[in-house]
Amino acid sequence: MNQVRVRFAPSPTGFFHIGGLRTALYNFLFARHHQGVFILRIEDTDRERFVPGATENLQSALRWAGIEPDEGPEQGGPYGPYFQSQRTEIYQKYAALLLQQGHAYYAFDTSEELEAMRQQAKQQGDFHAKYNASRRMQMRNSLTMTAEQVNEALAQKQPYVVRLLVPPERKFIVNDIVRGSVTFDSREVDDQVLLKSDGYPTYHLANVVDDHLMEISHVIRGEEWLSSVPKHLLLYEYFAWQPPALAHLPLIFNPDGTKMSKRDIQSLDDLPAGKVDPDVASYIKKGYEPAALLNYIALLGWNPGEGDDRQVFTVGELIEQFSLERVNKSAAIFDLKKLNWLNKEHIMRRSPASLALENREAVMQSVPVSEAYLEQVVALLQERLYFSRDVLKIGAYFFHDPDVYDPAVVRKRWEADSAKIILEFSAEISKLDVFTSSAIETVLRQVAENNSVAATKLIHPVRLAVTGVGVGPGLFDLLALLGKETVVRRLQNAAARIPLLQ
RNA sequence: GUCCCCAUCGUCUAGGGGUCAGGACUCGGGAUUUUCGAUCCCGUAACAGGGGUUCGAAUCCCCUUGGGGACACCA
């Protein structure tokens, strides 16, 4: 295989869709797997739908995901510019070439005329009329006008588009890496507009020209493009260019089988039944691990195959395993539950140091603690974290004395003699020289025994007294980390305050 | 409507003529633990339907049904 060069070619017309991220990921994985080049090309040829900031949003999301292009608007490259809006002369040149060779023609039809044609066809039962062999000779174009008329129209600066001349009676056989062989009839393809009246190219022209000029070896994109492949094939043929290999990816849907849409989604915490948020930014904001999201969407339409039951993959492992041949044909449904599970799996595999670093700012803002202390806190909390930045949220008591005691836990765990035993325990641990987990445990069990109660009768009230909540890491580790002074203080406070709550 | 694509547990999927149809998430149960979490066991749950082909079909073929995509001077 020659050098692999692939591109992710989004149009900056709104938010960054999760399906787009997967397309980018597959392109990236494929490129890395083959030591190829991953290119970002911005397809901003529709200036009516252009959304300012969309490109930047896209690039920052790719950066977050760690799937940065080798060539693109930011990193440059020998095939630039990578904004199609900056390449209009190129497309015009190729459109002119097609015109010259008779593979394309001028069309002067106004949108009203086009609309009238479609309306009329509709009345005749033709729902989606095509501008093609069966109708082009009834329209106002350089096929029906004389050369003089055309030149005159051009001289008068009448708006025109350039259309692709699709031959009648042609079969197009598309060989797709994921779908196999798919056949289309030219009757089904219309004389696609190649150059719009504003001088900008349509997707089809720009795409084919750029893929060729940028020496793209494999086009990996969403299934929605499959049916326009015949037009592209025709263009390659007219230009006498070798078309790239094609791989059309299955779509991703909501749990209810509908298209993922941003419309009715407020937030990830408040999803309507059956819906899922398609906006990559929402997942970034929520605090998902990039590795987890990538891992999850990689598995939506791809798997490593027989004999490999792994679910958790690092990006490196994905690169190693990925192949287009193992991409599925059928659409997948996005399941937040599995993403959440993977997120936890990836968090558990991280180093406490990196998690500490990520929580550092928020924690320090709340209370200054040593790096070492923070890292020990993280070590205790790590496997209880659902999101990497939740340290302060689920472990506030490592940084502050509790100011409230969970009423449900008070009700369940606090008994009439709890205060008395807790004070006794407090007095006993005060005497400890080495405040280690095991020393504390020994003392606690001794105190329990002295009072003829099970250790749990002491363990739960102590946890409540020290943390204010009923859940958390192993009690003795927690107390040891907090330190004698803090623990004794909290026990005494709680012994005085909790009985008043009952 | 026309053309094209797709179809294995609720979800992601493995398997592609002979399998007890496997794994993962979820859910349920149990073990462990001082709680939560983690971990370990166990369990519920699928070849859309109908016809062929074949000794034998989830697997190959056809039809039906269902879902999806495309049918713009949007990508």
Side-chain angles (χ1 to χ4, degrees):
Chain A
M1 198 185 310
N2 288 329
Q3 186 182 39
V4 165
R5 290 178 54 84
V6 294
R7 83 296 194 284
F8 174 53
S11 58
T13 53
F15 67 94
F16 188 13
H17 196 280
I18 204 85
L21 180 63
R22 191 193 55 177
T23 301
L25 175 65
Y26 282 12
N27 273 282
F28 173 81
L29 295 176
F30 185 72
R32 287 288 175 276
H33 183 89
H34 293 284
Q35 286 88 40
V37 178
F38 173 59
I39 298 154
L40 174 65
R41 184 174 73 218
I42 304 297
E43 308 221 327
D44 55 348
T45 56
D46 184 354
R47 70 237 189 296
E48 288 186 10
R49 291 205 311 156
F50 179 80
V51 174
T55 301
E56 292 68 25
N57 175 52
L58 209 90
Q59 287 169 321
S60 74
L62 289 176
R63 201 172 305 124
W64 171 84
I67 49 184
E68 296 202 62
D70 302 307
E71 293 174 23
E74 288 181 314
Q75 34 288 305
Y79 298 83
Y82 294 90
F83 283 105
Q84 289 187 328
S85 59
Q86 295 169 16
R87 302 169 63 83
T88 48
E89 320 80 63
I90 300 174
Y91 311 123
Q92 282 163 5
K93 189 183 102 189
Y94 283 101
L97 186 65
L98 291 172
L99 245 11
Q100 200 185 87
Q101 297 172 154
H103 294 316
Y105 59 92
Y106 293 103
F108 299 93
D109 315 281
T110 62
S111 51
E112 291 75 28
E113 288 167 332
L114 252 17
E115 180 56 24
M117 179 270 276
R118 288 184 182 122
Q119 276 305 97
Q120 199 194 353
K122 204 165 184 173
Q123 271 158 23
Q124 291 163 1
D126 193 346
F127 246 74
H128 284 272
K130 288 189 165 47
Y131 198 121
N132 65 3
S134 69
R135 252 176 283 262
R136 64 169 79 104
M137 298 315 282
Q138 278 93 260
M139 305 303 288
R140 226 151 55 77
N141 54 47
S142 57
L143 301 173
T144 59
M145 295 156 73
T146 64
E148 291 72 43
Q149 288 173 315
V150 171
N151 286 334
E152 195 185 320
L154 256 20
Q156 287 174 349
K157 299 244 182 294
Q158 276 189 34
Y160 67 87
V161 298
V162 174
R163 285 183 182 272
L164 177 68
L165 185 62
V166 178
E169 311 276 317
R170 264 285 300 271
K171 286 228 180 296
F172 295 99
I173 298 170
V174 178
N175 282 305
D176 188 275
I177 298 172
V178 343
R179 268 146 226 289
S181 169
V182 184
T183 308
F184 294 88
D185 194 289
S186 65
R187 274 188 300 260
E188 296 303 323
V189 354
D190 62 352
D191 290 356
Q192 181 64 48
V193 169
L194 263 18
L195 214 54
K196 299 182 255 187
S197 56
D198 62 4
Y200 281 83
T202 57
Y203 172 86
H204 308 281
L205 208 221
N207 194 260
V208 165
V209 167
D210 283 347
D211 284 346
H212 176 259
L213 260 23
M214 294 181 179
E215 295 180 34
I216 299 303
S217 61
H218 300 254
V219 167
I220 305 166
R221 82 247 282 188
E223 194 195 333
E224 69 270 24
W225 293 109
L226 186 61
S227 47
S228 42
V229 172
K231 294 166 190 172
H232 304 168
L233 254 24
L234 199 54
L235 283 169
Y236 282 105
E237 184 182 313
Y238 286 163
F239 287 127
W241 293 339
Q242 176 72 32
L246 300 172
H248 287 87
L249 309 175
L251 271 13
I252 302 176
F253 292 120
N254 272 315
D256 64 4
T258 58
K259 232 170 135 170
M260 284 170 92
S261 155
K262 187 69 185 161
R263 286 233 316 277
D264 37 27
I265 310 287
Q266 304 299 318
S267 78
L268 280 172
D269 299 310
D270 188 25
L271 291 169
K275 305 295 180 193
V276 99
D277 196 333
D279 189 352
V280 174
S282 301
Y283 297 84
I284 298 176
K285 189 167 163 229
K286 178 79 180 166
Y288 280 96
E289 302 291 294
L293 186 61
L294 259 25
N295 187 167
Y296 180 65
I297 61 176
L299 257 18
L300 239 36
W302 172 89
N303 72 82
E306 192 181 11
D308 193 341
D309 277 346
R310 282 178 296 170
Q311 305 291 321
V312 184
F313 290 87
T314 62
V315 173
E317 289 165 341
L318 288 174
I319 289 170
E320 193 179 317
Q321 294 299 313
F322 188 79
S323 79
L324 289 174
E325 284 70 26
R326 290 212 58 87
V327 171
N328 278 104
K329 293 197 226 312
S330 50
I333 285 171
F334 192 99
D335 176 25
L336 208 53
K337 290 237 174 72
K338 187 152 183 184
L339 203 214
N340 288 337
W341 173 74
L342 276 171
N343 200 57
K344 211 166 189 325
E345 290 293 317
H346 277 90
I347 288 174
M348 290 195 288
R349 284 165 171 74
R350 286 181 58 175
S351 72
S354 78
L355 286 167
L357 189 67
E358 206 177 339
N359 283 280
R360 192 174 182 280
E361 198 183 324
V363 168
M364 296 301 180
Q365 230 163 40
S366 168
V367 54
V369 295
S370 74
E371 300 286 345
Y373 179 77
L374 177 56
E375 206 170 309
Q376 284 175 279
V377 169
V378 167
L380 289 186
L381 255 23
Q382 183 160 9
E383 71 180 24
R384 281 158 252 264
L385 246 29
Y386 287 94
F387 290 98
S388 58
R389 290 195 293 269
D390 279 356
V391 167
L392 196 53
K393 184 176 157 192
I394 70 165
Y397 50 82
F398 280 111
F399 310 101
H400 300 282
D401 287 7
D403 38 38
V404 292
Y405 301 96
D406 185 335
V409 182
V410 171
R411 229 174 298 125
K412 187 170 178 199
R413 305 291 193 187
W414 196 267
E415 293 173 15
D417 58 349
S418 293
K420 176 186 150 283
I421 313 181
I422 273 193
L423 286 173
E424 192 181 326
F425 172 61
S426 172
E428 288 303 317
I429 58 173
S430 298
K431 299 177 195 158
L432 247 28
D433 293 327
V434 280
F435 202 66
T436 61
S437 176
S438 59
I440 298 165
E441 179 165 6
T442 306
V443 170
L444 182 137
R445 293 195 186 280
Q446 189 57 54
V447 171
E449 201 180 315
N450 294 348
N451 285 274
S452 310
V453 295
T456 56
K457 292 289 180 196
L458 192 42
I459 286 169
H460 293 295
V462 168
R463 176 185 296 281
L464 175 66
V466 173
T467 69
V469 295
V471 299
L475 182 68
F476 306 114
D477 291 337
L478 183 158
L479 297 180
L481 180 55
L482 246 16
K484 185 161 81 175
E485 192 188 323
T486 300
V487 170
V488 168
R489 179 181 67 243
R490 291 185 185 182
L491 288 173
Q492 289 176 352
N493 279 342
R497 290 174 56 196
I498 295 179
L500 305 178
L501 301 173
Q502 293 187 296

